[in-house]
């Protein structure tokens, strides 16, 4: 990684992530079936890095303290350099395989201090028709929708449905965002939003994880409520999350709703740190039914969606410490015989002190809670 473009100005979201968690990473785990050739998966990743500059970009601090991004060039075949190892564990015992997975997750949890290929990971060969892909991208360069884009590209490439594209590059998006925000600040006063709950204040506590199951609740039950109220399952879980926290006495004054930042024309297929969280404060107390909380949540989300993207970014910029975050982690991409299933994804961009990830497998819901041990007790997390 020697030849580069000149340094580019970072976007507002990149600078926010850098200030909170300069080594934060978006870690992904996916299962690839119907494609027995590991080199094909690795080549798909190289091709995607060639197409999307942000997948071969290093964000660092310049001599004057400014945060800049440097884009490394693709090779003559339009492929980018990756740091994804291949491990054949087909003959290993299940316990040994599980140990390898745990060690890899831990190793990928933070971006390395030294510059290197932006896309890191391990491709495990599980059996003749199954590969397990673990990837990590710096949180300054990627968000969860970027992960979806990469995995969809892997499925299309392995299924012979892949065609190269010329997406809008992130350095150009960053310049456009900076210009738009500068103009927006001159035209309108900044919006005021609820102060974050004390548990959402920034801190450097040790991260911990709590795995749990959701007994007696399946995906169809959540979908039924969503259909009845005319909302997405994501919104149903978010409202339920707010109610549970309130009943435990730890309800935040604002909860975070995820907007992928790609609702502006031309950004639908762009990679990079575009996703952001907006703060909402739905009605939630003992006097409100769950339906009322859900409808209040929906009205707040709709109001934010209708705001200009510049207003939303100004709001997040004002909130040095984000409130609680929430994300779903189940998706499947297919192309021909190749199928890529997203098992889990975690964005450690440093904003959330308490994060609930809901997974769905064959209609059964499970949950993973990530929390700051310095600010939330183990019993409360459970």
């Amino acid at each position: 990684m020697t030849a580069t473009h000149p340094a580019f100005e970072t976007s507002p979201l990149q600078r926010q992530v850098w200030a909170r968690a300069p080594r934060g990473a978006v870690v992904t785990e996916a299962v690839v079936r119907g494609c027995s050739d590991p080199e094909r998966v690795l080549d798909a990743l190289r091709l995607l890095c060639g197409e999307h500059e942000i997948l071969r970009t290093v964000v660092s601090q310049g001599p004057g303290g400014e945060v800049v991004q440097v884009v490394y060039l693709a090779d003559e075949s339009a492929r980018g350099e990756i740091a994804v190892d291949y491990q054949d564990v087909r003959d290993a015992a299940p316990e040994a395989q599980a140990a390898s997975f745990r060690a890899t997750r831990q190793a990928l949890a933070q971006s390395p201090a030294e510059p290197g290929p932006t896309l890191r990971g391990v491709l495990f060969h599980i059996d003749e028709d199954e590969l397990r892909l673990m990837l990590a991208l710096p949180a300054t360069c990627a968000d969860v929708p970027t992960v979806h884009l990469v995995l969809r590209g892997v499925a299309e490439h392995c299924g012979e449905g892949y065609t190269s594209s010329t997406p809008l590059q992130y350095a150009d998006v960053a310049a456009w965002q900076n210009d738009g925000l500068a103009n927006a600040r001159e035209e309108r006063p900044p919006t005021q939003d609820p102060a974050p709950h004390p548990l959402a204040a920034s801190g450097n506590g040790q991260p911990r994880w709590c795995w749990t199951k959701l007994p007696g609740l399946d995906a169809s039950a959540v979908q039924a409520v969503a259909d009845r109220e005319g909302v997405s399952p994501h919104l149903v879980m978010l409202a339920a999350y707010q109610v549970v926290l309130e009943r435990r006495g730890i309800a935040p004054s604002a909860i975070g709703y995820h907007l992928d930042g790609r609702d502006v024309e031309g950004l639908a297929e762009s990679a990079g740190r575009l996703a952001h969280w907006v703060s909402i404060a739905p009605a939630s107390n003992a006097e409100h039914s769950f339906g009322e909380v859900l409808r209040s949540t929906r009205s707040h989300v709709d109001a934010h969606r209708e705001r200009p993207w510049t207003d939303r970014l100004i709001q997040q910029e004002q909130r040095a410490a984000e409130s609680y975050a929430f994300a779903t982690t189940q998706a499947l991409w297919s192309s021909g015989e190749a199928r890529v299933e997203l098992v889990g994804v975690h964005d450690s961009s440093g904003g959330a002190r308490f994060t609930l990830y809901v997974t769905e497998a064959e209609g059964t819901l499970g949950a993973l809670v990530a929390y700051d041990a310095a600010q939330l007790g183990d019993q409360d997390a459970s």
Side-chain angles (χ1 to χ4, degrees), residues 30-35 148-162 330-342:
V31 173
V32 183
R33 296 186 177 91
C35 180
H148 291 192
L149 184 151
V150 170
L151 295 181
R152 186 170 65 248
V154 170
E156 292 172 354
H157 181 76
C158 293
E160 299 183 350
Y162 184 82
Q330 189 270 341
L332 177 69
W333 295 271
S334 298
S335 178
E337 296 297 320
R339 302 184 308 282
V340 177
E341 181 177 355
L342 179 64

Side-chain angles (χ1 to χ4, degrees), residues 16-255:
Q16 291 170 29
V17 172
W18 180 269
R20 294 193 302 255
R23 293 182 61 193
V26 181
V27 181
T28 313
E29 193 168 336
V31 173
V32 183
R33 296 186 177 91
C35 180
S36 59
D37 183 3
E39 184 54 38
R40 193 160 189 169
V41 176
L42 296 174
D43 192 53
L45 296 173
R46 297 187 190 100
L47 280 168
L48 289 163
C49 286
E51 290 180 7
H52 299 275
E53 289 181 355
I54 194 64
L55 301 183
R56 41 189 166 88
T57 293
V58 173
V59 177
S60 61
Q61 199 158 17
E66 72 281 5
V67 182
V68 298
Q69 52 184 328
V70 175
V71 180
Y72 287 81
L73 301 178
D75 63 19
E76 295 179 353
S77 65
R79 286 167 168 80
E81 184 178 353
I82 63 175
V84 180
D85 298 326
Y86 168 71
Q87 291 188 24
D88 190 341
V89 294
R90 284 176 287 185
D91 295 331
E95 296 80 6
Q97 290 185 0
S100 296
F101 300 157
R102 287 194 298 270
T104 301
R105 293 186 195 105
Q106 184 174 1
L108 295 176
Q110 281 194 322
S111 298
E114 297 299 321
T118 306
L119 185 61
R120 302 177 296 120
V122 178
L123 179 63
F124 293 98
H125 209 148
I126 306 299
D127 59 33
E128 295 307 317
D129 193 44
E130 182 174 322
L131 304 168
R132 196 173 194 92
L133 181 62
M134 294 188 182
L135 296 176
L137 283 159
T140 50
C141 296
D143 52 18
V144 174
T146 298
V147 166
H148 291 192
L149 184 151
V150 170
L151 295 181
R152 186 170 65 248
V154 170
E156 292 172 354
H157 181 76
C158 293
E160 299 183 350
Y162 184 82
T163 56
S164 60
S165 62
T166 54
L168 183 62
Q169 299 298 346
Y170 190 80
D172 297 323
V173 175
W176 168 70
Q177 283 192 342
N178 286 320
D179 290 344
L181 282 178
N183 294 333
R185 290 192 182 98
E186 294 178 358
E187 295 174 359
R188 65 178 67 86
T191 56
Q192 297 299 319
D193 295 282
H197 187 271
L199 288 177
S202 60
N204 297 314
Q206 293 299 314
R208 290 187 182 177
W209 301 84
C210 174
W211 290 95
T212 185
K213 295 181 180 179
L214 302 177
L217 182 64
D218 59 26
S220 61
V222 176
Q223 188 65 56
V225 176
D227 292 343
R228 186 184 70 217
E229 298 292 339
V231 299
S232 67
H234 180 121
L235 210 60
V236 174
M237 296 303 295
L238 181 60
Y241 175 37
Q242 166 75 356
V243 171
V244 169
L245 290 177
E246 192 274 337
R247 290 180 179 176
R248 291 292 301 172
I250 54 176
S253 57
I255 52 180

